[in-house]
Amino acid sequence: MAYSLSMATPDGSAFSFLTPEMSSRMEQQLQMSKSQIYGDDKGRISKTLDDRPLPRTMEDALRSSSRAIVVTENTRPFRVCDVNKAWENLCGFSYVESKGRSLGELLKGPETDQLAVTSLLSQLLRGEEATTVLTNYTKDGRKFRNRLHAGPLYNEEGEISHFVGVLQEVQM
């Protein structure tokens, strides 16, 4: 399939015989593939994935960083405890607007995959790191693809005190 997609033209004419039977999801996937091939990223989307390790302590998570970082409680409903400036810039919510609210309240929208969210939370509650790509929404309603890499933060006793998430906008 990837080889075939690389042969597509930007307007999709190479696949005109497929167009009438394609579901909206298939069209979206084709558009995402074409965007990756032809570089339609409007300049704000990362071209490389952030594979740096997650912060392990609250102190590490709260250090100044260019990565969009959010810290939440480690129990449901996982209310926001802190966000950094990069997170505010990406999501549009200030620290004051975010504190005490769940990420679902802030970023969830009609195309957010709840099954992926549930799977990520299940891994976090087992003390594991997890990564998923979600469709989220900024404060002003702009839809974006969010590569969320999340994991536990530990206190001095080695217990999980909070969860940390690093958000990265990736191509749609």
Side-chain angles (χ1 to χ4, degrees):
M1 185 71 161
Y3 177 75
S4 297
L5 288 176
S6 69
M7 303 295 283
T9 61
D11 67 358
S13 60
F15 292 106
S16 58
F17 64 92
L18 292 175
T19 306
E21 290 116 30
M22 290 178 71
S23 70
S24 63
R25 178 72 180 140
M26 291 170 69
E27 288 178 22
Q28 181 183 18
Q29 289 173 329
L30 179 60
Q31 186 58 45
M32 287 170 41
S33 296
K34 283 195 250 179
S35 293
Q36 291 170 351
I37 293 167
Y38 296 106
D40 180 25
D41 69 357
K42 301 179 184 85
R44 73 174 172 263
I45 301 170
S46 300
K47 294 191 186 296
T48 59
L49 292 180
D50 181 357
D51 61 356
R52 292 175 284 179
L54 287 173
R56 293 287 178 211
T57 66
M58 183 68 86
E59 181 182 356
D60 290 342
L62 298 179
R63 283 197 179 109
S64 180
S65 175
S66 61
R67 301 194 297 174
I69 295 177
V70 58
V71 175
T72 70
E73 298 172 337
N74 66 351
T75 56
R76 292 182 195 277
F78 310 104
R79 289 184 182 93
V80 172
C81 299
D82 212 333
V83 297
N84 69 359
K85 192 67 173 167
W87 190 91
E88 290 178 345
N89 292 338
L90 174 63
C91 300
F93 293 95
S94 70
Y95 164 78
V96 171
E97 293 170 306
S98 304
K99 186 165 174 55
R101 295 175 67 189
S102 74
L103 291 175
E105 286 178 66
L106 298 170
L107 304 178
K108 183 176 154 186
E111 293 181 40
T112 303
D113 182 350
Q114 195 56 47
L115 186 59
V117 172
T118 301
S119 176
L120 179 124
L121 291 174
S122 177
Q123 287 179 269
L124 290 175
L125 290 170
R126 290 192 307 264
E128 302 170 359
E129 287 187 13
T131 301
T132 192
V133 177
L134 300 168
T135 300
N136 283 146
Y137 297 81
T138 63
K139 180 180 177 180
D140 66 5
R142 182 179 68 83
K143 181 170 68 171
F144 72 102
R145 292 293 281 176
N146 171 20
R147 179 182 181 266
L148 174 60
H149 184 189
L153 290 178
Y154 297 93
N155 61 21
E156 298 80 30
E157 291 80 39
E159 299 166 336
I160 297 174
S161 62
H162 296 82
F163 293 127
V164 63
V166 176
L167 289 72
Q168 181 181 21
E169 185 170 2
V170 295
Q171 290 181 335
M172 292 198 67

